[in-house]
Amino acid sequence: MTSHQALADSVQAPLLAGWRNGFAALGPAFFTELRPTPLPSPHWVGASDDVAALLGLPQDWQRRDDALQAFTGNALPPGSRPLASVYSGHQFGVWAGQLGDGRAILLGETADGLELQLKGCGRTPYSRMGDGRAVLRSSIREFLCSEAMHALGIPTTRALCVTGSPAPVVREEIETAAVVTRVAPSFIRFGHFEHFAARGQQAELRRLADYVIDRYYPECRGGANPCAALLRAVSERTAALMARWQAAGFCHGVMNTDNMSILGLTIDYGPFQFLDAFDPGHICNHSDAQGRYAFDRQPGVAWWNLLCLAQAMLPLVGEVETARAALSTYEETFVAELLRRMRAKLGLQQPREGDGALVDALLRLLAAGRVDYPIFWRRLSHAVAAGDFEPVRDLFADRAAFDAWLLSYEELLALDGQAIAADLMLKTNPRFVLRNHLGEQAIRAAKLGDFSELQTLQKLLARPFDEHPGHEAHAGFPPDWASTISISCSS
Ligand code: AMP
Ligand code: MG
């Protein structure tokens, strides 16, 4: 290092000051402390200034080599305490035993309680057969989708940045390595609870529950049975998340219990997909031969996963009946939240008799015609604004069926007022959605070292309800090749 550089470093503000390590305080049964494995010649791939601002990073962070090295796992920020956490889980409905952060390392949390995790930064004791790496393709998908979901108002882990390296990573073909820096209040999963329950580690199970309650669900502390209250709160957040996913046409793809956030966040983006044509049975994960995680099964699978969580928490909750009661609001919460979301998509402000039937009838029509889901909603929003439904009608082969539905819809619309409805709809139904082919285009360019498409997409998805003139192609129908994109678990 030159003396100049040393001087510059000494006057530079620290990248992140005031680290806390709440998770690490849980004790060694919860993790293994280790450092990331460095990657050669890192470069920036993508970065979010919004997330940087949340973390309080200095303005110039993207120009700083210490940031590039830190977020690749090559040189850690002072004060961080890197660790990989251990959890277990049910994968595809089968108990998988011990899993854990096989390729993610938690650095700690900022003074504001946001945890930073590097994904793809090398092997850990929980890597099993894996190499501890993530490829550029899947890292870009996780980065874009985290930020897209946030902009849609859907609870999610965030992504600060992606860095890439020329280091080769073997998948179906040879790809290159990347690291995503993820940010969330916590990365605790249902599987963390399952882990200690399965091993009969009651003290750790209780410590985990106490930590989650005190840190993230303090409102559950007051009552007679805080753990039952926690179970109910997690169940309700999960129900609300499922309603969000279904309304947005989002398919997660790998809803194993180790991929279920205890905070009700969307977590672990893998083979996810936003629906193009509306197909309720759509399976986005190429590895999911049985369709366990098909789009329309998600709310039911989340319920199944909650039963696993309840089973794990039973020693804390007490009686089976108490656990059952804690979960009893799942379905009604999901149904009510979904209807609320669908009503907003339709521009209906007041709950009214018949709105549920209207939504059901519409979803049947969309499914029968395999109508493009995002385009339908955006066109409907504009149609309500303009009072001309022809462009929406054009999307349906069975126009008579659509006309019949439209009659009932217009009756309800008239009660609330069309202008207010249109305004609500244009803020609820995004013009820009991270469809698979859009991500794919950004990935193909990024593999060639061109990050401009990634940046364009990031900008559009950060404000998905704005028109962004000149970007019509990003809001259009998917090309024919979109249906040939195949995305599996291994990434
Ligand atoms: P996922 O379904 O991607 O959430 O991963 C399930 C489990 O496999 C988790 O414990 C991951 O940490 C682990 N895993 C996935 N990919 C890799 C990899 N390339 N190297 C090591 N562990 C991995
Ligand atoms: Mg996972």
Side-chain angles (χ1 to χ4, degrees), residues 87 189 258-259 268:
Y87 51 80
R189 301 139 192 276
D258 55 303
N259 290 340
D268 280 12

Side-chain angles (χ1 to χ4, degrees), residues 158-172:
R158 304 289 304 269
L160 171 69
C161 58
V162 179
T163 65
S165 160
V169 176
V170 181
R171 294 292 180 264
E172 279 93 358

Side-chain angles (χ1 to χ4, degrees), residues 75-397:
L76 294 182
S80 59
R81 189 175 160 187
L83 61 85
S85 83
V86 63
Y87 51 80
S88 296
H90 285 83
Q91 298 187 312
F92 290 90
V94 178
W95 176 244
Q98 182 193 296
L99 303 164
D101 295 326
R103 52 172 169 171
I105 290 186
L106 180 70
L107 298 183
E109 59 185 284
T110 64
D112 295 332
L114 285 173
E115 290 187 344
L116 267 83
Q117 195 188 61
L118 304 182
K119 178 172 175 181
C121 62
R123 288 183 57 87
T124 78
Y126 317 113
S127 298
R128 297 179 295 160
M129 305 299 283
D131 57 8
R133 292 299 179 195
V135 297
L136 181 66
R137 166 175 53 94
S138 65
S139 304
I140 289 176
R141 280 170 53 84
E142 172 142 17
F143 173 73
L144 285 173
C145 199
S146 309
E147 293 310 285
M149 294 290 264
H150 173 72
L152 293 172
I154 302 175
T156 178
T157 60
R158 304 289 304 269
L160 171 69
C161 58
V162 179
T163 65
S165 160
V169 176
V170 181
R171 294 292 180 264
E172 279 93 358
E173 50 193 54
I174 302 210
E175 304 190 41
T176 57
V179 176
V180 192
T181 300
R182 307 199 288 192
V183 176
S186 172
F187 291 91
I188 294 175
R189 301 139 192 276
F190 289 11
H192 281 95
F193 285 82
E194 290 180 280
H195 181 73
F196 296 109
R199 295 186 167 196
Q201 291 179 263
Q202 302 281 340
E204 283 79 9
L205 186 63
R206 181 161 293 282
R207 204 179 313 148
L208 178 63
D210 282 339
Y211 177 73
V212 170
I213 292 170
D214 292 339
R215 282 293 305 268
Y216 308 109
Y217 291 90
E219 68 280 7
C220 294
R221 184 52 81 195
N225 190 334
C227 288
L230 173 63
L231 186 56
R232 171 180 291 242
V234 173
S235 158
E236 290 183 354
R237 277 203 204 177
T238 304
L241 182 69
M242 290 308 111
R244 290 285 204 160
W245 285 4
Q246 298 311 110
F250 176 79
C251 202
H252 179 282
V254 205
M255 290 177 66
N256 294 333
T257 56
D258 55 303
N259 290 340
M260 297 292 292
S261 154
I262 204 73
L263 301 185
L265 307 173
T266 313
I267 191 171
D268 280 12
Y269 292 92
F272 71 83
Q273 187 180 0
F274 284 92
L275 297 182
D276 292 317
F278 187 68
D279 172 7
H282 184 72
I283 304 165
C284 64
N285 181 352
H286 191 68
S287 320
D288 182 11
Q290 308 297 319
R292 179 180 174 85
Y293 300 135
F295 175 71
D296 61 357
R297 291 199 173 159
Q298 298 187 120
V301 168
W303 167 249
W304 192 93
N305 291 343
L306 281 162
L307 292 176
C308 292
L309 177 66
Q311 178 73 44
M313 289 180 67
L314 203 54
L316 309 174
V317 169
E319 301 300 314
V320 171
E321 272 319 307
T322 315
R324 218 192 291 277
L327 295 184
S328 65
T329 51
Y330 175 83
E331 188 172 350
E332 67 192 74
T333 306
F334 169 72
V335 170
E337 281 294 307
L338 181 61
L339 187 54
R340 193 159 76 86
R341 301 283 159 209
M342 297 310 284
R343 226 188 265 122
K345 289 177 84 64
L346 287 164
L348 304 173
Q349 291 118 78
Q350 301 294 327
R352 286 207 169 83
E353 180 89 29
D355 49 18
L358 188 79
V359 169
D360 290 347
L362 173 61
L363 293 179
R364 274 198 301 277
L365 276 182
L366 293 175
R370 292 285 188 270
V371 176
D372 188 275
Y373 194 68
I375 288 183
F376 167 77
W377 286 109
R378 194 68 185 180
R379 280 201 193 175
L380 189 70
S381 314
H382 283 296
V384 169
D388 171 12
F389 289 91
E390 255 340 276
V392 188
R393 228 173 148 245
D394 286 346
L395 295 169
F396 292 82

Side-chain angles (χ1 to χ4, degrees), residues 8-23:
D9 286 352
S10 69
V11 295
Q12 223 171 22
L15 198 56
L16 273 161
W19 284 88
R20 298 193 311 183
N21 299 288
F23 188 86

Side-chain angles (χ1 to χ4, degrees), residues 36-54:
T37 311
L39 277 169
S41 313
H43 59 265
W44 294 109
V45 172
S48 161
D49 274 322
D50 286 356
V51 179
L54 273 185

